[in-house]
Amino acid sequence: MQPSDSTVIYPGSFDPITNGHLDIIERAHKLFGLIIVAVADPLHKKCFFSLEDRIYFVRESTKHLERVRVEKLEGLLVDFARKKGARAIIRGLRAVSDFEYEFKMAWMNRRMHPELETLFLIPSENYAYIASSLVKEIAFLGGDVKELVPPVVYERLKDVKIDGKGPSLEVE
Ligand code: ADP
């Protein structure tokens, strides 16, 4: 099957990108002409990695996909989508627990931009249990996350050290 010409946006905080996110990006890449991965600084949670690092991790992890672009998401997603001429937003659904939040967001975005569809893709069952928050927690406590994240993220997570103030990145 040939991918369509459509541009779609895959937004998220990607703190950090995991193999679950990557699985969704690869699936979208088979279907659509251009996938813009829009990396956001969410208002409702504080990210561990800087926006620059998160963008770098996504870029490095998607180098093999020729029609993927990685950008910073500023402002409302619906405005960003209009600016990019995107037809749809891609989101990943892992479990029923994702559903309520995703459903609310999709309705809200539709209110603001009725022509923009939200499409849900389901990852391979091998990645369905992976969440960025869980990956960080395991890595910070010394567990092995090699199978869960792209190599560039795995290497960086090795630099995290834990002191009395909690996890932080080692500065050269
Ligand atoms: P946000 O802060 O917007 O939820 P995330 O980076 O946590 O950003 O997630 C972005 C999207 O990727 C969401 O739709 C989320 O459900 C999806 N996602 C996260 N982890 C996985 C995974 N392991 N498999 C499939 N989709 C995932």
Side-chain angles (χ1 to χ4, degrees):
M1 193 174 73
Q2 288 299 313
S4 76
D5 293 337
S6 304
T7 295
V8 295
I9 297 181
Y10 181 33
S13 40
F14 303 99
D15 184 36
I17 183 171
T18 68
N19 287 343
H21 292 124
L22 196 54
D23 181 273
I24 297 294
I25 296 170
E26 284 170 348
R27 283 171 199 283
H29 189 255
K30 289 189 192 136
L31 295 171
F32 301 103
L34 178 65
I35 294 90
I36 302 178
V37 182
V39 183
D41 251 339
L43 293 176
H44 62 281
K45 60 181 175 190
K46 190 166 164 12
C47 288
F48 179 74
F49 290 105
S50 69
L51 185 61
E52 291 67 32
D53 278 349
R54 285 178 283 129
I55 289 175
Y56 170 72
F57 294 151
V58 181
R59 282 214 176 109
E60 283 295 304
S61 315
T62 55
K63 266 196 197 147
H64 60 298
L65 302 170
E66 87 190 85
R67 300 185 318 282
V68 170
R69 232 161 55 198
V70 187
E71 294 189 22
K72 171 170 153 185
L73 173 58
E74 279 175 311
L76 275 176
L77 176 58
V78 289
D79 293 337
F80 183 81
R82 275 200 191 94
K83 224 166 27 198
K84 302 291 169 186
R87 300 275 306 276
I89 296 167
I90 301 290
R91 294 286 287 179
L93 269 189
R94 287 163 290 192
V96 182
S97 49
D98 280 340
F99 189 77
E100 199 178 332
Y101 174 69
E102 293 293 339
F103 201 61
K104 273 192 279 193
M105 284 238 304
W107 273 107
M108 204 45 99
N109 284 328
R110 178 172 286 171
R111 248 183 97 99
M112 294 184 280
H113 186 342
E115 284 80 42
L116 184 70
E117 297 295 342
T118 301
L119 304 177
F120 295 103
L121 296 179
I122 294 173
S124 147
E125 63 201 57
N126 300 330
Y127 303 128
Y129 60 93
I130 304 179
S132 300
S133 53
L134 214 55
V135 164
K136 280 179 289 189
E137 207 164 317
I138 295 169
F140 297 165
L141 295 173
D144 188 4
V145 294
K146 195 168 188 177
E147 308 286 308
L148 311 181
V149 292
V152 63
V153 174
Y154 177 66
E155 288 305 319
R156 183 66 69 86
L157 281 169
K158 284 189 193 160
D159 295 339
V160 175
K161 67 173 183 5
I162 306 218
D163 56 22
K165 295 192 271 332
S168 62
L169 281 169
E170 243 160 40
V171 186
E172 300 278 290

